[in-house]
Structures are given as C-alpha cells and as structure tokens.
Amino acid sequence: TIKSKLFSSGEFKKCDILTIKNRGFSKKAMFGEKELEVDVILNLTHGGDGEDGVLSSLFEFYDLPYIGPRREACAVSCNKFLTKGYASSVDVQTIDYNYYTQNDKVEINDFPVIIKPVRLGSSIGVSIVKSQEELEYALDVAFEFDDAVIIEPFIAGIKEYNLAGTKIN
C-alpha cells in the first residue's frame, strides 16, 4: 500500500505503529494488542538503523527470522573507516585517506580532496573541496552528520561501482 507520496504528504502518520517483541510484531487494537503473523522479515530499509545493523540486532535479539545482512556486516559496511581496513586486510586496493575527528586539526596540502562523514551512506555530508577557502565549510557540513570524517584525494573521471556479495563456505 506504499505509494510514492506516502511520506511527503504526511499520510504515513495514519499508518499503524508496530511494536517489536518476542515472536514478532504487534499493533494496538481495540482491546489491547494484536500480534501480526509474519513468516520472515525482509529487511529492505535504507539509511540509519536499517543499514547500520540496529534492525538486524533487534531481529536477532528477539529471535525473529529475517532476510538481510547480519549485524556484523552492517556495522562494518556502514563505517567507511572499518570498510577500508577490512578491504585492505583482504588485499582489496582502496584510495589513500586520512581519518579525523572533530577535535583534530585538519591540514590539507594538495587539493582537490573529498570529505566524507565516516558513518553515513550515500553522498549525504560529502563535499569535494578544491581550495583551502572551502575546507572549513566542508568540514562543518561533514561534522554535522558524524564526529569523524575521512579525507581522500579527489580523482576526476573515475567510475565508482558498488557490489553486494557473499562468500558461501
């Protein structure tokens, strides 16, 4: 029943609020709560709580069957710093980077660079910085979304590919 304007129109506010508990989900009913029967949960969420492992952790805590990445995979893949470390450990080449927290002094000598919040997906909070004058603003933007950033050299004209996969033993 989800339509494209469900959220922008505010119609989502009329939807039932679900509560997660042992054995599944429930919603308010006229006389208490009504349990919803679910065979398996398909985790198709995007963004925080879905991609970072929070929902996977809840499903596992409540022993609910689900399809989607497990909490460990989510935690690593939603953190650019951990992802680069993991990739390097299995001989996948990554672009050189520097890691900074909000309290660190950031010094850039060669521009352009790309600044990314460490724990955020898509391109939210990401800036391409071409000069020293743009640096402070770009850092402010990135630190609005996270307390850590990675800074990489910006390489024009490359294609970035995303690939999901698994290794079956």
Side-chain angles (χ1 to χ4, degrees), residues 70-96:
R70 298 307 183 238
R71 67 182 183 268
E72 296 88 352
C74 291
V76 170
S77 66
C78 236
N79 182 308
K80 294 171 185 72
F81 179 70
L82 294 178
T83 298
K84 283 183 172 281
Y86 177 74
S88 294
S89 77
V90 293
D91 297 325
V92 173
Q93 292 181 351
T94 64
I95 294 174
D96 289 336

Side-chain angles (χ1 to χ4, degrees), residues 1 9 19 41 47 52 61-62 64 78 89 106 128 135 163 167:
T1 60
S9 69
T19 302
I41 299 163
D52 66 3
F61 178 80
Y62 286 115
L64 300 172
C78 236
S89 77
V106 177
I128 298 169
L135 182 60
L163 175 66
K167 179 180 177 187

Side-chain angles (χ1 to χ4, degrees), residues 1-167:
T1 60
I2 294 178
K3 297 195 169 64
S4 64
K5 293 188 178 186
L6 177 70
F7 295 101
S8 64
S9 69
E11 285 293 310
F12 73 94
K13 294 176 184 175
K14 297 177 184 175
C15 294
D16 292 330
I17 296 173
L18 301 181
T19 302
I20 188 171
K21 53 175 62 177
N22 273 342
R23 299 179 311 279
F25 292 95
S26 64
K27 67 179 184 175
K28 289 183 181 178
M30 188 173 294
F31 301 108
E33 291 182 337
K34 177 182 178 185
E35 287 191 18
L36 302 176
E37 290 188 35
V38 176
D39 295 322
V40 65
I41 299 163
L42 180 57
N43 184 3
L44 297 175
T45 56
H46 176 67
D49 294 344
E51 287 182 281
D52 66 3
V54 170
L55 286 178
S56 298
S57 295
L58 280 171
F59 300 152
E60 291 173 23
F61 178 80
Y62 286 115
D63 198 27
L64 300 172
Y66 72 98
I67 297 170
R70 298 307 183 238
R71 67 182 183 268
E72 296 88 352
C74 291
V76 170
S77 66
C78 236
N79 182 308
K80 294 171 185 72
F81 179 70
L82 294 178
T83 298
K84 283 183 172 281
Y86 177 74
S88 294
S89 77
V90 293
D91 297 325
V92 173
Q93 292 181 351
T94 64
I95 294 174
D96 289 336
Y97 67 96
N98 288 306
Y99 175 90
Y100 298 97
T101 63
Q102 283 181 311
N103 299 323
D104 295 334
K105 182 176 181 179
V106 177
E107 292 186 27
I108 306 295
N109 296 320
D110 295 316
F111 292 94
V113 295
I114 187 163
I115 298 177
K116 303 173 182 180
V118 168
R119 289 174 291 267
L120 198 61
S122 302
S123 58
I124 299 169
V126 174
S127 297
I128 298 169
V129 179
K130 298 175 184 170
S131 67
Q132 190 68 40
E133 294 76 30
E134 297 175 357
L135 182 60
E136 187 175 338
Y137 178 78
L139 288 169
D140 283 346
V141 169
F143 284 130
E144 282 289 321
F145 298 101
D146 198 353
D147 60 357
V149 299
I150 60 171
I151 300 179
E152 304 167 327
F154 176 75
I155 303 170
I158 65 169
K159 287 187 179 182
E160 183 176 303
Y161 295 94
N162 294 298
L163 175 66
T166 185
K167 179 180 177 187

